[in-house]
Amino acid sequence: MRQNMSRLGPLDNYLLGSSAKLKKKGQRSHSPKASRYLSLHLRFEIDMVAHSLCEFGGGEEERQELEAYRKIHFPALIELKKTQKLPSPSALRAEGLCPLMPEETVLLLAALGFNRQTRIYLAGAHIYGGKSRLAALTTLFPNLVTKETLLSSIEIEPFANFSSQLAALDFIACTAADMFAMTDSGSQFSSLISGYRIYYGGGKMPTIRPNKRRLADIFVKNNTIEWKAFEQRVRKAVRQTKRVFSRPTGRSVYRYPRCRECMCYVEP
């Protein structure tokens, strides 16, 4: 991703061990300096989308497709819908309970100052809607890659039938990034990455952890406010989630590694 191994990333030694090697002195590089990149975990797979009970602009065809998926994969949810009155899709979205769509993710990143020159590593499985749904991202961010496009077929073949190993590749690329952005703070994968970056990065490895409830209110009004105002509101919403907290009682040490159970102490 960096295109130039004359500089190791802050976490490369932790992630790669002895495999993290610098280029030999005097070896030419095609890039004058190491390229920085953003890693993005976009949680928009069909299981996430279907289970949310939200709507994503696809109309009746989308509703039927997701309902058919729920009948097969989430039968308990179908039964729950029959016996209880559940919140409407619009109410769920207003509460920030819907996965961020690729289109919303583009607005988020653009408001934070990322542009066409930004190099992005996209982690995750198959995005619901495929290439057409990702078009918003790839149009504004043409330097976007995945493990499938970054590696050759020969390189990725040994991992192809092992989902946990494919996830490990995403974990390494995301954790080593200069900045990591998640679209769902409840994701275990994103939590592990952000926790690892906090613990080994000393709290200095930037992570974008958006508050979806605040963003939902902003996105609803994005057609009626100027871009500058939209940009300021998004940045304020993200800034409020940047603080690194000690572990709250009962929360995972992986997500909140700053706690007595994890930290090492030197005896005087």
Side-chain angles (χ1 to χ4, degrees):
M1 281 298 299
R2 294 196 186 96
Q3 293 187 328
N4 182 347
M5 289 307 294
S6 62
R7 176 185 73 91
L8 287 178
L11 303 184
D12 285 6
N13 284 323
Y14 294 110
L15 291 164
L16 304 175
S18 60
S19 298
K21 297 178 181 178
L22 292 171
K23 279 190 174 181
K24 292 181 180 179
K25 200 170 184 180
Q27 186 174 348
R28 287 189 176 184
S29 169
H30 296 293
S31 177
K33 61 180 180 179
S35 301
R36 297 180 181 275
Y37 73 97
L38 163 76
S39 59
L40 170 65
H41 186 215
L42 182 61
R43 283 291 276 124
F44 202 70
E45 298 88 355
I46 189 170
D47 60 334
M48 180 82 168
V49 168
H51 194 270
S52 71
L53 296 177
C54 298
E55 294 182 354
F56 303 93
E60 186 59 30
E61 182 180 352
E62 176 191 278
R63 283 191 286 272
Q64 291 182 8
E65 180 182 9
L66 294 180
E67 189 68 4
Y69 186 90
R70 292 184 196 108
K71 288 179 180 178
I72 298 172
H73 299 278
F74 304 119
L77 191 57
I78 295 295
E79 292 302 314
L80 188 64
K81 288 177 65 179
K82 293 177 181 177
T83 58
Q84 295 187 27
K85 184 177 180 180
L86 301 178
S88 66
S90 58
L92 290 169
R93 187 166 295 281
E95 289 297 314
L97 298 175
C98 297
L100 281 186
M101 297 184 288
E103 298 88 341
E104 293 171 325
T105 304
V106 167
L107 289 173
L108 168 67
L109 295 178
L112 293 175
F114 297 102
N115 55 39
R116 292 182 62 82
Q117 282 69 51
T118 303
R119 296 170 54 77
I120 297 180
Y121 178 88
L122 178 64
H126 299 291
I127 301 302
Y128 175 63
K131 290 184 178 180
S132 61
R133 199 77 204 228
L134 275 178
L137 265 173
T138 54
T139 299
L140 185 59
F141 302 110
N143 294 317
L144 183 146
V145 299
T146 64
K147 55 183 175 294
E148 290 81 8
T149 59
L150 195 61
L151 300 176
S152 69
S153 57
I154 295 176
E155 289 172 323
I156 203 169
E157 194 275 332
F159 309 99
N161 296 321
F162 303 95
S163 58
S164 59
Q165 293 183 18
L166 290 172
L169 295 178
D170 279 339
F171 178 86
I172 292 171
C174 287
T175 306
D178 298 280
M179 182 170 287
F180 170 61
M182 64 180 79
T183 60
D184 178 26
S185 59
S187 160
Q188 185 178 27
F189 181 79
S190 291
S191 297
L192 287 171
I193 292 171
S194 62
Y196 196 101
R197 288 166 64 86
I198 289 171
Y199 188 82
Y200 287 105
K204 299 177 182 178
M205 299 293 289
T207 294
I208 299 171
R209 186 185 292 102
N211 182 316
K212 290 193 293 181
R213 186 174 184 178
R214 291 181 184 274
L215 287 180
D217 182 59
I218 299 171
F219 288 145
V220 166
K221 300 174 182 176
N222 72 50
N223 290 324
T224 60
I225 61 176
E226 294 183 353
W227 175 254
K228 193 66 178 177
F230 174 79
E231 188 179 69
Q232 290 172 348
R233 292 192 64 188
V234 168
R235 292 188 178 197
K236 181 179 179 181
V238 171
R239 190 162 54 244
Q240 291 171 340
T241 64
K242 285 180 66 177
R243 293 176 58 194
V244 176
F245 297 96
S246 295
R247 184 174 74 95
T249 303
R251 295 298 185 91
S252 168
V253 295
Y254 297 106
R255 183 178 299 184
Y256 299 97
R258 285 195 168 184
C259 58
R260 294 183 64 84
E261 297 93 322
C262 276
M263 306 310 290
C264 297
Y265 294 89
V266 177
E267 293 293 335

